[in-house]
Amino acid sequence: HVQLVESGGGTVQTGESLRLSCAASGATGSTYSMSWFRQAPGNEREGVAYIAINGGTDYTYSVAGRFTISKDNAKNTLYLQMDSLKPEDTAMYYCAADQWAFGLGTAYRYWGQGTQVTVS
């Protein structure tokens, strides 16, 4: 059974940074593709960053160059380093994992409960 637990959210000022973490049990980065998604009130869920089993990454246009996704397979932990944060980055952030996902536009079977990021 796969469980994902996000942490690291909070309230920051515009231009500041945050690092989100997602601790995975029952899944490892060596066998699961993993991603970060976000959803703001009234908006649809949006794919933010993706990391493949082989370490390849992809980002949605609005965060490219500001956000960095990474993983530590030994610790079973996924990260999202968010720099130069903007108010429009305010959302609930979720990590997701799936053995067969191949990008931000594919379905993910496992989801965390989310961590709130607020940029003022």
Side-chain angles (χ1 to χ4, degrees):
H1 180 63
V2 176
Q3 287 188 311
L4 305 173
V5 180
E6 301 95 336
S7 61
T11 300
V12 296
Q13 301 291 319
T14 299
E16 294 184 340
S17 299
L18 276 176
R19 188 176 82 154
L20 305 183
S21 298
C22 174
S25 60
T28 69
S30 60
T31 57
Y32 283 72
S33 295
M34 302 186 79
S35 287
W36 288 97
F37 288 79
R38 66 186 180 186
Q39 187 168 21
N43 290 359
E44 293 187 355
R45 187 172 60 199
E46 172 189 28
V48 175
Y50 162 80
I51 188 163
I53 293 171
N54 67 3
T57 59
D58 190 27
Y59 300 89
T60 192
Y61 177 80
S62 61
V63 308
R66 299 188 297 121
F67 290 11
T68 303
I69 189 171
S70 63
K71 60 181 177 175
D72 185 331
N73 289 343
K75 296 182 178 179
N76 286 351
T77 302
L78 177 73
Y79 302 101
L80 185 68
Q81 177 67 41
M82 304 186 295
D83 298 321
S84 302
L85 282 161
K86 304 176 181 180
E88 51 263 44
D89 295 318
T90 295
M92 186 71 79
Y93 283 71
Y94 302 88
C95 66
D98 195 285
Q99 287 182 293
W100 307 111
F102 51 90
L104 293 173
T106 56
Y108 285 78
R109 181 173 181 182
Y110 303 105
W111 293 83
Q113 83 291 346
T115 186
Q116 177 69 37
V117 172
T118 302
V119 185
S120 59

